[in-house]
Structures are given as structure tokens and as C-alpha cells.
């Protein structure tokens, strides 16, 4: 009903704000757009479910997420994919893994500090009712 749509609208505002703040952070530049298959031809052979911050934004606008956990499942793919595609000891791989970990930790910390637990529970109840 209308109150549920008000809650989901507020969730989308929170998730857009979070995602846009991450996109502004220079450390996370490699994660802002889908990997360019021309530049990295083997990427789709290694990574089954690509994800990036701009795709998260599109998903938010398409009302894909009813709970924060659904959003975090997709957001975690950015971090998991980076670790999987960059497993080696060489400095370039270590650098992108470090940034992927910083992205995940930053996202988790912002959610823990800025999203009300009762609000999250209301979103989960809406998901269970649908
Ligand atoms: C988004 C992502 O995880 C990504 C984009 S390029 C890349 N890795 C490299 O270009 C080389 C460093 N060792 C392979 N990883």
C-alpha cells in the first residue's frame, strides 16, 4: 500500500546516496563502470556475474532492491569479482584487491552507521509479504 511505497522510496534514496558517494571516491574508479571487454577480453570468461557501481544505480532506479541485503548481495559481487580476477601477488593485483576491500568495508560501515535497524526490518517485512 502507499505507506510501503513511501518506505521503498526512502530506501532507494539511501542506496542512491550511498552509491553516489562511493562513485566520487577516486580509490573506487575501477569499480564505477562495467569492465570494458575490448580492454580486458578474458574478463567475462573468468567472471560470471559482472557488477559495478553504475549498474547498482540503474538497478536502484528500476526498483530491483526491496531490502538492503538484496542491494549488498549485488554490491558484494564487485568485491568478490575483483578478488577472483586479480588473485596474483604482483603489485597491480594487490592494489586492486586492496581497493575492493576498502569499497566493501566502506559500504558496510556507512550502512551500519547511517541506516536505522528498525527501517531495515520494515523493508524485510515488505519483502516477506510479497
Ligand atoms: C574491475 C576489476 O576487477 C579489474 C579491472 S582491470 C583489472 N585487472 C587488471 O587489469 C590486471 C591487474 N592484473 C590483471 N581488474
Amino acid at each position: 500500500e502507499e505507506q510501503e511505497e513511501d518506505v521503498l522510496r526512502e530506501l532507494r534514496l539511501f542506496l542512491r546516496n550511498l552509491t553516489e558517494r562511493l562513485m566520487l571516491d577516486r580509490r573506487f574508479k575501477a569499480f564505477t563502470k562495467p569492465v570494458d571487454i575490448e580492454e580486458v577480453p578474458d574478463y567475462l570468461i573468468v567472471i560470471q556475474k559482472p557488477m559495478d557501481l553504475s549498474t547498482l544505480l540503474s538497478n536502484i532506479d528500476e526498483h530491483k532492491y526491496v531490502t538492503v541485503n538484496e542491494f549488498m548481495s549485488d554490491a558484494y559481487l564487485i568485491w568478490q569479482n575483483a578478488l577472483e580476477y586479480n588473485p596474483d601477488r604482483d603489485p597491480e593485483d594487490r592494489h586492486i584487491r586492496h581497493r575492493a576491500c576498502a569499497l566493501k568495508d566502506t559500504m558496510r560501515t556507512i550502512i551500519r552507521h547511517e541506516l536505522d535497524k528498525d527501517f531495515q526490518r520494515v523493508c524485510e517485512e515488505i519483502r516477506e509479504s510479497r
Side-chain angles (χ1 to χ4, degrees):
E1 83 252 19
E2 198 38 48
Q3 287 83 341
E4 287 190 359
E5 287 318 308
D6 292 341
V7 169
L8 298 182
R9 195 172 303 112
E10 186 169 342
L11 175 67
R12 290 194 296 274
L13 276 176
F14 173 82
L15 295 178
R16 271 192 210 96
N17 173 267
L18 166 58
T19 306
E20 283 160 1
R21 282 153 67 181
L22 296 169
M23 291 178 93
L24 292 174
D25 189 319
R26 290 199 323 272
R27 291 177 295 171
F28 307 141
K29 182 148 182 43
F31 310 120
T32 53
K33 290 275 185 293
V35 170
D36 183 340
I37 301 310
E38 263 87 71
E39 282 165 34
V40 191
D42 70 335
Y43 191 76
L44 290 181
I45 298 166
V46 177
I47 299 299
Q48 275 74 44
K49 282 194 74 182
M51 186 48 63
D52 68 280
L53 294 171
S54 69
T55 303
L56 285 180
L57 268 189
S58 306
N59 290 348
I60 293 164
D61 293 345
E62 290 161 13
H63 298 199
K64 178 177 179 186
Y65 307 122
V66 172
T67 67
V68 178
N69 289 341
E70 291 170 349
F71 171 84
M72 283 308 290
S73 297
D74 276 354
Y76 268 18
L77 285 170
I78 300 173
W79 164 65
Q80 290 157 340
N81 291 344
L83 300 191
E84 189 180 342
Y85 188 72
N86 301 283
D88 303 337
R89 66 145 313 277
D90 67 74
E92 218 185 274
D93 281 31
R94 284 193 166 151
H95 208 48
I96 201 148
R97 289 202 303 271
H98 178 79
R99 288 170 166 169
C101 294
L103 176 74
K104 172 188 57 88
D105 293 346
T106 304
M107 206 178 263
R108 288 282 304 256
T109 302
I110 289 174
I111 288 169
R112 192 163 57 84
H113 286 203
E114 300 183 20
L115 196 64
D116 182 276
K117 291 265 187 310
D118 293 336
F119 180 83
Q120 277 191 247
R121 202 167 300 113
V122 171
C123 294
E124 271 141 31
E125 262 131 45
I126 293 172
R127 170 50 81 210
E128 282 148 25
S129 76
R130 294 193 175 186

